[in-house]
Amino acid sequence: MEIINFDDTQSVVSQYMAELRDVTVQRDMMRFRRNLERIGEIMAYEISKTLHYAKKDISTPLGISHCDVIDTRVVLATIFRAGVPFHQGFLSFFDNAENAFVSAYRKYKEKENFDVFIEYLASPRLDGKTLVIADPMLATGASMELSYRALLTKGEPAHIHVASVIASKVAIDYIKSTFPSDKTTIWVGAIDNEINSHSYIVPGLGDAGDLAYGIKE
């Protein structure tokens, strides 16, 4: 299983990551959403390099150009609600892709004890397609795994790209142990070493859904 960590190489992603983490910059919800979207766009571009292409003759006003066009069926999946702006970044690049949406949420039994539930799924058939699952925060990996299991009811993808802005080391290890290693690639903006007793990533950035859309009741 290949893991691409953007934090290993300095790029403009480092600037966007710094702004996402900064408690002062976070007050601007529009900028927070846009930074998630930007990172999604950059990851989409990098993922596009791994796809299959075919030659196609394109008519121009002056002749014929022999162009490479994507010959891979892509499905973009996201986990509500923090995943929406991140997902939009991928959709801006893969504008002809099919889309899937999953609602995964924590149901607390006690203050620090919760189960993850899948409440909603809308997806096309996935057989033989390339599946990109985008979720900004990969804390334990449980929501990602359950979402993937739910999506498998719609077919078996040829390859899975797991995309996250920040992941914990625990979550990376969990994904490695639960996803098919021969056809999964993990893309992440940064990997943080810790999660706290509430299963939030430390230092992380806080609750991405609240920061993008406002505090939920």
Side-chain angles (χ1 to χ4, degrees):
M1 184 179 297
E2 187 177 10
I3 301 171
I4 294 90
N5 183 0
F6 284 75
D7 200 33
D8 290 337
T9 306
Q10 291 180 332
S11 71
V12 71
V13 173
S14 302
Q15 176 66 37
Y16 302 151
M17 292 292 295
E19 292 183 6
L20 285 170
R21 291 186 191 264
D22 191 308
V23 293
T24 301
V25 181
Q26 285 179 349
R27 296 171 186 166
D28 185 343
M29 287 193 294
M30 185 171 66
R31 188 166 189 83
F32 187 86
R33 292 192 301 269
R34 180 59 183 133
N35 282 332
L36 289 178
E37 187 176 349
R38 284 167 166 167
I39 294 174
E41 290 170 347
I42 292 168
M43 287 187 179
Y45 172 73
E46 294 299 325
I47 288 173
S48 75
K49 298 177 184 179
T50 72
L51 303 179
H52 296 291
Y53 288 77
K55 289 288 186 183
K56 184 176 182 180
D57 292 342
I58 302 296
S59 297
T60 80
L62 300 177
I64 301 295
S65 177
H66 309 293
C67 299
D68 293 317
V69 295
I70 293 175
D71 192 32
T72 301
R73 293 175 297 170
V74 177
V75 177
L76 304 176
T78 194
I79 302 173
F80 289 144
R81 66 179 166 150
V84 174
F86 192 37
H87 176 90
Q88 184 58 47
F90 288 90
L91 188 57
S92 293
F93 274 45
F94 297 121
D95 49 1
N96 291 317
E98 295 176 282
N99 291 260
F101 300 94
V102 184
S103 172
Y105 71 97
R106 295 180 177 186
K107 186 174 183 179
Y108 283 86
K109 295 180 286 188
E110 301 169 359
K111 186 176 181 181
E112 296 176 1
N113 188 9
F114 63 87
D115 292 322
V116 177
F117 286 86
I118 302 295
E119 194 172 63
Y120 174 85
L121 170 66
S123 172
R125 292 301 301 175
L126 299 176
D127 298 295
K129 300 176 184 178
T130 292
L131 175 65
V132 180
I133 311 179
D135 190 17
M137 307 301 287
L138 203 59
T140 67
S143 295
M144 181 63 73
E145 185 209 4
L146 287 176
S147 298
Y148 170 62
R149 299 297 175 196
L151 287 162
L152 285 181
T153 64
K154 305 302 181 183
E156 187 72 36
H159 194 90
I160 307 104
H161 294 279
V162 174
S164 181
V165 174
I166 301 177
S168 73
K169 182 66 168 60
V170 168
I172 294 294
D173 291 341
Y174 188 76
I175 296 301
K176 289 168 65 176
S177 70
T178 55
F179 277 61
S181 60
D182 60 331
K183 61 176 187 178
T184 302
T185 307
I186 300 174
W187 303 79
V188 63
I191 299 174
D192 290 354
N193 289 326
E194 300 178 38
I195 56 174
N196 63 19
S197 59
H198 296 282
S199 294
Y200 281 99
I201 303 170
V202 179
L205 53 75
D207 189 308
D210 286 356
L211 291 166
Y213 295 111
I215 298 173
K216 57 186 174 294
E217 184 175 346

